[in-house]
Amino acid sequence: MEMNTLPPKFEDWFTTKGWSIHPHQVEMLARADAPSLLLIAPTGGGKTLAGFLPTLVELANDAHKGLHTLYVSPLKALAADIKRNLGTPITEMSLPIRVEDRTGDTSYTQKRRQRADPPHILLTTPESLALLISYEDAPKIFAGLRRVIVDEIHALAESKRGDQLMLALSRLQTLAPGLRRVGLSATVEDPDAIAHGMAAHPDPCPILLAHPGPNPDISMLVTTQRPPWSGGGAKYSIPAVLDLVNKHKTTLIFHNTRAQAEIYFHNLWLANDGGLPIGIHHGSLSRDQRAKVEAAMVRGDLRAIVCTGSLDLGIDWGNVDLVIQIGAPKNVKRLIQRIGRANHHYNVPSKAVLVPANRFEVVECVAALEAAKENDLDGDPKGAGPRDVLCQHILIVACSAPFDPTELFNEIRTVGAFSNLSRTAFDNCLDFCATGGYALRAYDQWKRLRELNSKWQLRDPRSAARIRMNLGTIYDIETLKVKFRRSAKSLGEVEEAFAATLTPGDTFLIGGQIVRYEALNQLTVEVSRNKGTTPKVATFFGTKFSTSTQLSQRILRMFQEDHWPDLPDHTSEWLQMQRRVSKLPEAGRILVETFPQNGRENMVVYSFAGINANRTLGLILTQRMEAAGLNPLGFVVTDYALMIWGLTAVTNMEPLFDPDNMRDGLETWLQGNAVMKRSFRMAATIAGLIERNTRGGRKSGRQATFSSDILYDTLAKYDPDHLMLQITYEEAMRGLVDFGRVEELLHRTKGRVDHVTLKRVTPLAAPLFLEPGCIPIFGDGRERLLQDRAAELMAEAGLANL
Amino acid sequence: MNHYAFYLANTLLHAYPDGSLWYPSKRILCVSDLHLGKSERIARRGGILLPPYETRETLWRLEKAVAAIDPAKVICLGDSFDDLDAAKSASDETRTTLARLQTGREWVWIEGNHDPGPLDLGLGLGGSHREEFKSDPLTFRHIAQASAQDVVVGEISGHYHPKAAILGTRHRPCFLLDKARLIMPAFGTYTGGMSARQAVLANLMSTDTLAILTGKYAIPIPLAACTIR
């Protein structure tokens, strides 16, 4: 077909630009008729243009009316960025194409107009798309749709947002049967899995691999100053990092959490004597602030940006020539993708520097460097399609029009992740949407669907508004806006749990400035300016990434080497010392150290299973210790180890690490666990059982948490087979709890637990004492301590003989 | 023993870890703030919809407490039902359980702010309805009298659902005890609570008040040592 080659107008344009078209761009054009196509290309490889080229060519002749191409990206910012970039070829070739974006930030009037008169190309996010397909006029809006482009599909595929998007695409495919799908992805370890998730099942999805480009130039920052024993601040690296910023045009300084980014940014400015323009960008900042930084970046006004995952994806921010990663990257794939942000020019190697935040991360960084050199990418396999997202999808479909359950079931089965969905599982979800599930069927509010003439529809059409208000699968930790008193401008957001710890007068960091907490006003944290240099409250929480299994194994292999020429002296000396006083952990075995400290009996387990799996292992071990009368009081976890402390010393390791009967008692133990409650909150929110947004405004996090916790408790007690609990258990086992990893670990190391009894703390264990985030065990040990403490207090008050 | 024994107005009483009070010489068991029908009332008034099981749960625990001690008299210290509608619409299961519990013993419903009307006659819930109940030298009433100064020695009340904790522990329901009065924790499931250090409770109690924590054991601690929330 002539349409599948580059028309002269486009060729001329490329020529005037002095560009030559990349081979994969030609290929994408040639295969534009494929029902599904996945392009894997490194950042800077002209991926987006490759995706849009067929659309631009098809639309160049002005024949198409209405929506032609839907572009979906995980980030609102990306949609805005693409709109800007598409503007250039469209204007310069005078193409008759209208491009608009539609995200949570688009105005209400604009959105209304878009529904009545859609543009040729609509740029959106999975959430805005879900909202679009929930409208009664969805069939009209999407009738002429020809192509859908899913950008950064590797990022979406990792989360429920991807599942929601693919469900939405199955709907679109029904509304516009000729729809072709294109996925654009960065380098990933398992392209087939992404292709499987993307195509309309059972269609095949061919994969097009672009040339990967030259190997990146990555190194680890070595300073004369020693990294600290623990923590994620990496403050020691500030002078060296400023020096690097000075030597480059634009530097991105990545952090693993928002809190770390804030603190680092603050410290950078305290040391920034040369007044280098440095900005900060992360998801907790207000939209205005982010937009300001983005604009300054595009203009090239900034020399560095301190950022988090919010800048992870392929936005083209101009001349970034250096990427600095503060803290161990935890995951090689993410590292490679971040590195790809430097030098958006094909055929020029990206340059990156890793900055370990503490002594142990030095080891992790070296291991990650090796893995990156070997391009040994990691990742965890994804499970079947999540049923909470399915429930939400059923409600979305019902908002649009009455549906036939069998037709909907068949449509859903075309989604890769749901291709094995059983009719029973589907019916259970439908029943949940219709009644709220067994324990809840007494209430009308949860009866949202009814059957009429063998079609299901909303019981009350007015409920559509409520359902729409609560769409989406992004579960933000509850946050509160931070504002100066008597000011309308928001400085950003902090997590509610963090806000709850503040007392008036406390100072903390937000948006790079120190503010003083004044009061909590409704859902706003009111603050005032503060001149101090050190915030009193160091941090607010952030998501912790888990180190990938592959990376952990690499670290364990490194430990077994005789000496470590790649490690800085301070770190190799530390490891040598550990080897002298105790042992270094080995792959395939578990090292356990026990020693007394601070009047408690401590047990450190070097499992290298990642933070989530270690937390679960901690729950299993403490449960067994509680049963054995060992009075555990609490534990703390990191990616590589966990430390449990209690009243009684542990001597017999074998029964504790027995891989059999792990699930016994774990369920009851887990039931009261905060992790389960959090999983429940997420699942119940996504499935529509808990509404976070109501007409009266958004519920405060504490309200919502309270309600969801008692709801969870009751269901767990009286209706443990309720769909929401099944989903909670499944999710907790897989994601937050990482049960699979623990199971595998204990089986693999059965009979290979090395117990070292010591008189005091070891070099490798010492950092654990500085680790925040202790998980308390409310067992008999704590009850005994409480009694002891109460008796002391009674005695102090002179009431001992009462 | 898991309970805490103490004297109020020279009368020996036992605070049990489940939140009930035992008056051994008169064989009286007292529980406060059952709030039966709470989820049903919340749902009726447009709040969160909880599975309606907490009534059963509360009654199960009450049955356990009664079976363990076989009291001659049970005093429910007010707010036994979450409101009068909840009392009117009590399920057959609730009624049967109550009837079973009342067999062979006296049963006194003290009126509370949530359930001011008579529960005994019109609503057929058995027992006898009282504004307050005196058993010299003790007085059982729902809400404590205004201030610590003019209190009658020997007052036992509920209403506030006090909770307390010491540093490093979670808040749990507690009894509050000083020389003159005792305030009881709520016995009902999902009844929430008020920190015992809050002004409204501090004004009622003297400075040397004891908080008796419930849970696995009844643990007495000086209220002044409890955390402020």
Side-chain angles (χ1 to χ4, degrees):
Chain A
M1 260 166 84
E2 58 168 338
M3 193 176 96
N4 292 351
T5 55
L6 198 63
K9 195 183 209 174
F10 285 75
E11 260 180 57
D12 294 347
W13 181 71
F14 270 95
T15 315
T16 54
K17 285 287 190 189
W19 296 347
S20 58
I21 184 166
H22 290 310
H24 59 267
Q25 292 172 333
V26 178
E27 184 78 8
M28 287 293 280
L29 195 56
R31 296 166 76 168
D33 292 335
S36 310
L37 195 56
L38 174 64
L39 171 66
I40 296 191
T43 324
K47 201 164 45 184
T48 322
L49 188 57
F52 275 107
L53 211 45
T55 296
L56 298 183
V57 170
E58 284 171 35
L59 284 172
N61 63 10
D62 199 20
H64 191 89
K65 294 283 168 276
L67 189 59
H68 178 283
T69 295
L70 186 70
Y71 165 91
V72 188
S73 85
L75 287 182
K76 292 184 234 177
L78 203 47
D81 190 47
I82 296 292
K83 189 177 162 191
R84 209 166 37 231
N85 293 347
L86 277 179
T88 314
I90 291 174
T91 323
E92 291 179 4
M93 288 187 273
S94 330
L95 300 175
I97 302 175
R98 206 170 97 219
V99 184
E100 286 174 15
D101 58 347
R102 182 190 181 95
T103 65
D105 294 350
T106 311
S107 75
Y108 176 74
T109 15
Q110 171 84 341
K111 281 184 179 170
R112 277 204 78 105
R113 203 189 42 67
Q114 280 174 349
R115 276 167 64 189
D117 175 22
H120 297 109
I121 301 176
L122 186 66
L123 314 167
T124 190
T125 58
E127 291 69 33
S128 290
L129 176 60
L131 197 55
L132 270 175
I133 64 165
S134 80
Y135 290 121
E136 295 85 343
D137 51 4
K140 202 180 113 246
I141 303 172
F142 293 108
L145 186 66
R146 300 287 169 80
R147 303 183 76 227
V148 57
I149 302 171
V150 183
D151 202 357
E152 307 285 337
I153 190 170
H154 59 280
L156 284 171
E158 279 173 1
S159 71
K160 291 184 178 177
R161 302 180 71 199
D163 296 305
Q164 174 160 57
L165 173 62
M166 292 310 153
L167 285 166
L169 292 195
S170 72
R171 197 89 263 276
L172 292 183
Q173 201 83 48
T174 304
L175 299 178
L179 180 67
R180 291 158 288 158
R181 307 175 178 200
V182 167
L184 308 176
S185 168
T187 321
V188 285
E189 78 287 357
D190 191 1
D192 291 334
I194 292 183
H196 170 73
M198 196 191 102
H201 193 76
D203 281 0
C205 177
I207 298 168
L208 219 156
L209 288 166
H211 187 272
N215 284 329
D217 161 19
I218 328 172
S219 58
M220 182 173 75
L221 180 76
V222 179
T223 54
T224 43
Q225 201 168 355
R226 296 161 174 236
W229 288 115
S230 78
K235 192 177 168 188
Y236 79 96
S237 66
I238 299 272
V241 165
L242 274 176
D243 196 40
L244 283 169
V245 171
N246 239 325
K247 287 180 183 145
H248 291 82
K249 273 190 291 223
T250 310
T251 306
L252 291 186
I253 307 173
F254 275 106
H255 285 78
N256 289 335
T257 72
R258 291 168 185 180
Q260 285 167 0
E262 280 284 355
I263 292 168
Y264 201 84
F265 180 66
H266 177 73
N267 288 329
L268 262 181
W269 270 99
L270 289 181
N272 186 6
D273 300 330
L276 289 169
I278 298 176
I280 182 165
H281 190 286
H282 64 69
S284 292
L285 296 178
S286 68
R287 201 210 303 171
D288 290 354
Q289 268 189 300
R290 271 182 282 157
K292 238 195 254 168
V293 172
E294 285 161 19
M297 185 80 187
V298 170
R299 288 194 306 269
D301 287 353
L302 293 176
R303 292 294 300 279
I305 295 197
V306 174
C307 57
T308 62
S310 64
L311 270 188
D312 248 349
L313 301 160
I315 306 169
D316 191 0
W317 292 125
N319 287 322
V320 176
D321 53 353
L322 175 68
V323 165
I324 295 179
Q325 161 73 35
I326 307 282
K330 305 288 176 199
N331 171 313
V332 181
K333 186 170 60 179
R334 186 165 47 236
L335 174 68
I336 299 275
Q337 287 163 3
R338 281 184 175 173
I339 290 171
R341 305 304 322 281
N343 250 326
H344 262 209
H345 300 289
Y346 214 41
N347 299 331
V348 180
S350 324
K351 190 171 168 194
V353 175
L354 305 187
V355 180
N358 59 49
R359 209 65 62 90
F360 193 84
E361 286 193 350
V362 174
V363 186
E364 283 185 68
C365 283
V366 171
L369 276 177
E370 279 179 15
K373 274 188 194 127
E374 290 164 26
N375 208 23
D376 177 13
L377 300 187
D378 42 16
D380 289 315
K382 215 175 158 243
R387 284 178 289 167
D388 48 352
V389 180
L390 182 57
C391 291
Q392 192 181 99
H393 183 70
I394 293 175
L395 291 173
I396 291 173
V397 171
C399 285
S400 167
F403 64 88
D404 176 285
T406 305
E407 280 170 20
L408 182 61
F409 172 65
N410 291 335
E411 183 179 291
I412 285 166
R413 294 248 300 186
T414 65
V415 176
F418 293 95
S419 54
N420 288 322
L421 182 76
S422 72
R423 181 64 197 240
T424 320
F426 171 80
D427 285 341
N428 284 341
C429 291
L430 182 58
D431 176 64
F432 167 78
C433 293
T435 68
Y438 180 73
L440 302 168
R441 54 181 73 225
Y443 296 113
D444 275 356
Q445 189 189 314
W446 280 321
K447 291 183 190 152
R448 282 167 303 191
L449 303 183
R450 64 175 176 152
E451 205 178 2
L452 192 72
N453 304 329
S454 76
K455 287 205 169 195
W456 287 85
Q457 61 184 63
L458 290 182
R459 206 154 173 267
D460 176 359
R462 284 170 303 179
S463 66
R466 297 176 67 155
I467 293 170
R468 288 190 186 116
M469 237 185 278
N470 288 285
L471 282 191
T473 61
I474 307 177
Y475 186 87
D476 288 330
I477 294 161
E478 296 296 340
T479 56
L480 300 174
K481 280 212 160 61
V482 180
K483 281 180 184 169
F484 283 128
R485 278 203 157 165
R486 285 178 291 279
S487 156
K489 207 180 116 229
S490 162
L491 295 167
E493 294 180 339
V494 293
E495 284 159 31
E496 170 139 6
F498 170 74
T501 66
L502 295 172
T503 41
D506 283 352
T507 53
F508 63 98
L509 274 163
I510 178 100
Q513 51 185 323
I514 297 180
V515 294
R516 183 175 186 277
Y517 173 71
E518 297 293 343
L520 190 66
N521 187 356
Q522 303 275 346
L523 294 180
T524 309
V525 176
E526 290 187 341
V527 297
S528 58
R529 277 173 224 282
N530 190 280
K531 292 246 176 344
T533 50
T534 321
K536 187 172 151 204
V537 182
T539 172
F540 48 99
F541 317 128
T543 345
K544 275 191 171 172
F545 291 122
S546 207
T547 304
S548 71
T549 328
Q550 288 91 324
L551 202 49
S552 301
Q553 290 306 314
R554 229 171 232 283
I555 295 169
L556 286 172
R557 286 202 297 276
M558 269 176 63
F559 278 162
Q560 290 317 306
E561 288 160 20
D562 287 339
H563 54 283
W564 301 279
D566 291 341
L567 291 177
D569 289 347
H570 50 67
T571 305
S572 57
E573 280 158 18
W574 173 52
L575 295 182
Q576 292 293 7
M577 201 197 297
Q578 168 73 17
R579 188 173 269 169
R580 269 200 308 280
V581 305
S582 173
K583 266 181 170 191
L584 277 169
E586 265 177 79
R589 308 187 72 86
I590 292 185
L591 172 65
V592 181
E593 294 175 340
T594 53
F595 52 84
Q597 175 89 8
N598 303 335
R600 298 274 184 267
E601 295 294 339
N602 300 281
M603 173 165 98
V604 178
V605 181
Y606 299 95
S607 55
F608 284 83
I611 196 155
N612 292 333
N614 278 345
R615 202 178 291 123
T616 302
L617 182 61
L619 287 175
I620 294 172
L621 292 179
T622 47
Q623 178 217 359
R624 288 178 172 179
M625 287 167 73
E626 178 78 24
L630 295 169
N631 298 309
L633 294 173
F635 64 97
V636 69
V637 291
T638 67
D639 270 322
Y640 60 98
L642 70 138
M643 178 166 75
I644 303 174
W645 55 93
L647 300 177
T648 316
V650 186
T651 49
N652 187 6
M653 293 301 158
E654 207 169 312
L656 279 189
F657 289 88
D658 184 359
D660 296 326
N661 310 323
M662 264 167 58
R663 280 175 198 257
D664 289 4
L666 182 68
E667 268 172 68
T668 17
W669 189 254
L670 271 180
Q671 222 171 65
N673 186 265
V675 173
M676 289 295 274
K677 288 187 178 167
R678 217 184 107 203
S679 301
F680 175 77
R681 204 142 61 231
M682 288 192 238
T685 306
I686 292 172
L689 187 61
I690 298 173
E691 290 175 343
R692 286 203 297 170
N693 302 309
T694 58
R695 247 180 297 261
R698 185 170 170 156
K699 251 194 229 170
S700 91
R702 199 175 304 168
Q703 259 176 336
T705 304
F706 171 74
S707 324
S708 109
D709 282 0
I710 40 184
L711 194 52
Y712 169 82
D713 285 339
T714 345
L715 287 178
K717 209 161 189 171
Y718 305 106
D719 192 5
D721 287 330
H722 193 274
L723 180 69
M724 284 304 110
L725 292 188
Q726 288 177 27
I727 296 174
T728 302
Y729 195 70
E730 227 172 72
E731 300 267 317
M733 284 293 142
R734 190 170 56 208
L736 295 163
V737 175
D738 232 341
F739 195 76
R741 267 204 208 185
V742 179
E743 218 161 19
E744 190 261 344
L745 173 81
L746 292 190
H747 277 286
R748 190 160 41 85
T749 57
K750 186 181 167 131
R752 286 193 277 275
V753 176
D754 305 316
H755 180 197
V756 186
T757 311
L758 297 137
K759 289 206 174 60
R760 69 180 105 99
V761 59
T762 62
L764 213 48
L768 288 165
F769 282 93
L770 306 170
E771 201 60 43
C774 142
I775 300 167
I777 301 299
F778 296 100
D780 216 40
R782 207 161 276 270
E783 208 67 34
R784 271 171 49 184
L785 284 184
L786 173 62
Q787 273 183 311
D788 291 351
R789 180 72 190 124
E792 274 169 42
L793 290 168
M794 291 291 277
E796 276 167 30
L799 300 167
N801 302 316
L802 201 81
Chain B
M1 288 301 268
N2 291 351
H3 69 258
Y4 177 69
F6 60 91
Y7 286 92
L8 178 68
N10 295 317
T11 312
L12 177 71
L13 296 169
H14 293 173
Y16 272 86
D18 64 359
S20 63
L21 180 76
W22 177 231
Y23 181 0
S25 62
K26 295 274 174 73
R27 301 198 61 73
I28 293 177
L29 179 74
C30 177
V31 289
S32 188
D33 297 270
L34 301 177
H35 286 269
L36 300 174
K38 185 173 177 97
S39 64
E40 189 255 342
R41 180 184 76 106
I42 294 175
R44 186 156 23 89
R45 303 211 172 160
I48 176 190
L49 306 181
L50 292 172
Y53 293 127
E54 89 297 340
T55 299
R56 206 189 289 172
E57 165 89 21
T58 303
L59 288 175
W60 279 346
R61 289 191 297 111
L62 184 56
E63 275 196 286
K64 209 170 135 191
V66 166
I69 218 153
D70 189 22
K73 187 196 293 267
V74 172
I75 298 175
C76 297
L77 209 48
D79 287 1
S80 304
F81 285 85
D82 213 45
D83 67 1
L84 283 177
D85 281 339
K88 275 180 211 148
S89 58
S91 69
D92 287 347
E93 191 190 339
T94 303
R95 287 168 192 276
T96 331
T97 311
L98 284 172
R100 189 165 62 238
L101 282 169
Q102 288 165 357
T103 307
R105 60 180 57 93
E106 276 184 77
W107 193 276
V108 179
W109 300 110
I110 303 283
E111 78 176 34
N113 53 316
H114 280 256
D115 50 359
L119 297 172
D120 48 351
L121 302 168
L123 299 177
L125 290 163
S128 57
H129 177 88
R130 303 282 181 85
E131 198 176 316
E132 56 181 53
F133 179 83
K134 280 191 197 302
S135 173
D136 230 26
L138 302 179
T139 305
F140 294 84
R141 62 165 68 99
H142 181 58
I143 304 180
Q145 277 183 354
S147 71
Q149 287 79 46
D150 54 33
V151 64
V152 192
V153 171
E155 181 196 68
I156 295 173
S157 63
H159 182 62
Y160 291 103
H161 304 201
K163 282 186 156 187
I166 55 172
L167 204 64
T169 67
R170 292 191 280 196
H171 274 75
R172 32 178 115 183
C174 67
F175 295 86
L176 293 178
L177 171 69
D178 65 13
K179 298 240 158 28
R181 62 169 38 136
L182 176 76
I183 297 184
M184 293 194 41
F187 192 84
T189 303
Y190 298 158
T191 42
M194 171 193 276
S195 172
R197 294 294 303 269
Q198 293 216 355
V200 53
L201 279 165
N203 293 341
L204 277 172
M205 306 299 295
S206 62
T207 48
D208 57 356
T209 296
L210 277 190
I212 305 162
L213 302 186
T214 60
K216 194 166 178 178
Y217 313 100
I219 304 172
I221 38 172
L223 182 59
C226 291
T227 49
I228 297 173
R229 184 172 66 176

